[in-house]
Amino acid sequence: MTSHPSRRDFLRSLSALTACSFVALPATAAPTGDLAKSPFRISVINDEVSQDFERACEITSRRFGMGWIELRGMWNKNVMNLDANEVAEARRILEKYNLRVTDIASPLFKVDWPGAPKSKFSPSHDQFHADFTFDQQNEVLEKSLELAKTFSTDRVRCFDFWRLDDPKPHRQAINEKLRDAAEKAAKKGIVLLLENEPSCNTATGAEAAEVLRAVRTPAFMLNWDPGNAASLGEKVYPDGYAALPKDRIGHCHCKDVVKNDHGYEWAAMGQGLIDWVGQFKALKSDGYHHAVSLETHWRGAGSAEDSTIQSWAGMKDELQKAGAL
């Protein structure tokens, strides 16, 4: 049987976090070299490098030359489950390596929608060390917003529930849930970023455009993930991207995919079927200035660290070809 963190334990960790008096992280120096010339905030998701947070920050800052990092999990814990001491240690490490946080990559709303048939994508075990129930989502939202303030970012990632064969009977209620969460985030000066995710109800650029039309609050934007959309067969650039309202893209995940006899699988940046050079050029031309964050997923080089190093080399080359460095 899957065990979920109790509501009491989760609220206790939230109370401990809130009770701590954290000052804002200091502004860090801009990236040096090529990255300083980019219109984008170039970053990587920390646990794509290592569960050792200091190692992930060292690679991000000193080897990649980045000034930004995205937080999802560390020390084999989801960021939502960090206690106050671990949060303080993470902040110390960020300051040591001169890194700023793009967003909190929370698992908000990555659960089954109540009253609907159980999704075939609903996992039998937790993903990314996150295991929360629908009833805990208000607390997940609250802690995500607190973590965003603590780590001096104005962005929190979310989803829109495990994918249903027919979401139409539930779509309006789901949109209302997203709108309500975004309005709560707005009161704290934070933007909610919906990620298009193949196992959730918004997976492609076309589907994301529909949700953005329905949920119009300025505090609700898209975490555009071309790799996720491509894994469902969408031609993400130019087709999927063309469907999107460009002023509603608030974050971008970078990974690549290849097609094989069994469907699609992850690839290193520059080794897959996505026209990332064209996508980066379009983002630049359209005035996008938020994060482009490497989410490797591919493990073809063996370890997470080595695979991310190789994928970053491909991503950097594509950014240079796009004139975005």
Side-chain angles (χ1 to χ4, degrees), residues 218-238:
F220 184 74
M221 300 181 78
L222 177 67
N223 176 14
W224 175 226
D225 192 317
N228 282 347
S231 71
L232 286 186
E234 184 176 59
K235 187 174 183 180
V236 293
Y237 183 80

Side-chain angles (χ1 to χ4, degrees), residues 11-22 84 142-143 146 150:
L11 288 174
R12 185 184 297 120
S13 69
L14 174 59
S15 297
L17 174 62
T18 306
C20 292
S21 177
F22 289 118
E142 187 177 350
K143 187 166 184 182
E146 291 292 339
T150 298

Side-chain angles (χ1 to χ4, degrees), residues 140-159:
V140 172
L141 173 61
E142 187 177 350
K143 187 166 184 182
S144 296
L145 300 180
E146 291 292 339
L147 285 168
K149 289 294 187 181
T150 298
F151 285 107
S152 300
T153 179
D154 66 348
R155 269 144 223 266
V156 166
R157 188 266 305 269
C158 74
F159 300 91

Side-chain angles (χ1 to χ4, degrees), residues 262-282:
H262 307 289
Y264 294 88
E265 65 182 15
W266 304 122
M269 289 286 287
Q271 301 298 316
L273 56 82
I274 297 174
D275 178 9
W276 272 107
V277 174
Q279 178 66 92
F280 287 142
K281 282 182 178 180

